[in-house]
Amino acid sequence: DYRFSESGIYKCPDNSDTGTVDDFLAYVDSLPLTDPPEVFGMHENANIAFQDQQSAHLLNLVLSIQPREASGSGKKPEDVVLELAELMSSRVPQIVSTETAHPTSFGYDPETGMMYSLGTCLGQEVNKFNRLLSLLSKSLVMLQNAVKGLIVMTADLDSMFTALTNNQVPGLLSKVTYPSLKPLSSWFEDLIL
């Protein structure tokens, strides 16, 4: 009477020593069609997270197959993206300089001659933020040029175009940006604060 799960649904069949093939097939047919997380030793919240990911994937798929043509008297997607890219480009902050920081921000310990840990962490975060600002500025200018037809629309720029159309943070920035679940408009407002 060994149980593989707490609910007792997944267990060795009662007649596993003497059962026939038909008995085992009947037992297998009695199991649920979808496996609950408990089978894999996970909490029920894992199922909620899975369903959330599936829903997000489905919505992203629906957005990705949305036509890029304007209907009626609305703006074309190219015009909307170009306008948004120009607006964002004009609002991207300048590169952060450590030279203008408070003198104690990057201070050194007089005993060891090493920078305080706060300064080390701050320096790393400033470098990461500067990489993000630089990539964002460069990619927005390139996207504007690609939409205008001045340069070739690469796969990265095309995915950025789609992301801006759908109010999502571009995947191009995912390697250098901080994790966020916010849509592009809210993410950008947080970035420029």
Side-chain angles (χ1 to χ4, degrees):
D1 193 33
Y2 183 77
R3 298 180 188 278
F4 297 109
S5 64
E6 290 182 21
S7 66
I9 296 173
Y10 296 90
K11 60 181 182 177
C12 260
D14 294 331
N15 57 351
S16 60
D17 294 340
T18 60
T20 65
V21 172
D22 290 334
D23 293 335
F24 281 102
L25 289 175
Y27 170 72
V28 169
D29 288 339
S30 73
L31 294 174
L33 292 176
T34 57
D35 299 324
E38 70 172 332
V39 174
F40 306 106
M42 293 190 261
H43 191 268
E44 185 60 34
N45 287 347
N47 202 24
I48 295 169
F50 170 73
Q51 291 171 350
D52 187 44
Q53 287 175 351
Q54 289 295 101
S55 300
H57 179 70
L58 177 65
L59 290 174
N60 286 335
L61 183 65
V62 169
L63 284 173
S64 72
I65 61 174
Q66 175 180 337
R68 285 191 181 179
E69 297 177 9
S71 60
S73 62
K75 291 182 181 179
K76 294 190 304 185
E78 290 82 4
D79 297 334
V80 172
V81 168
L82 190 58
E83 184 180 310
L84 183 59
E86 288 170 353
L87 177 67
M88 289 174 68
S89 226
S90 68
R91 296 181 67 200
V92 171
Q94 297 296 319
I95 298 294
V96 179
S97 172
T98 57
E99 302 298 323
T100 58
H102 192 273
T104 59
S105 296
F106 296 98
Y108 287 86
D109 186 352
E111 292 178 17
T112 62
M114 296 175 65
M115 185 183 287
Y116 291 117
S117 58
L118 175 64
T120 302
C121 291
L122 182 60
Q124 291 171 352
E125 290 300 315
V126 165
N127 288 339
K128 184 175 181 180
F129 194 69
N130 283 342
R131 280 195 307 273
L132 171 61
L133 292 177
S134 175
L135 181 61
L136 180 60
S137 296
K138 185 176 88 172
S139 59
L140 285 170
V141 169
M142 289 176 64
L143 180 63
Q144 291 173 51
N145 289 335
V147 170
K148 291 175 185 174
L150 301 175
I151 63 173
V152 175
M153 178 79 78
T154 63
D156 284 340
L157 291 176
D158 186 53
S159 71
M160 186 174 185
F161 181 94
T162 304
L164 266 63
T165 304
N166 296 333
N167 195 27
Q168 296 172 336
V169 178
L172 176 68
L173 303 175
S174 64
K175 295 176 184 164
V176 294
T177 190
Y178 49 89
S180 176
L181 297 175
K182 294 183 177 188
L184 178 65
S185 54
S186 301
W187 175 86
F188 188 74
E189 290 301 320
D190 280 351
L191 175 76
I192 63 175
L193 283 179

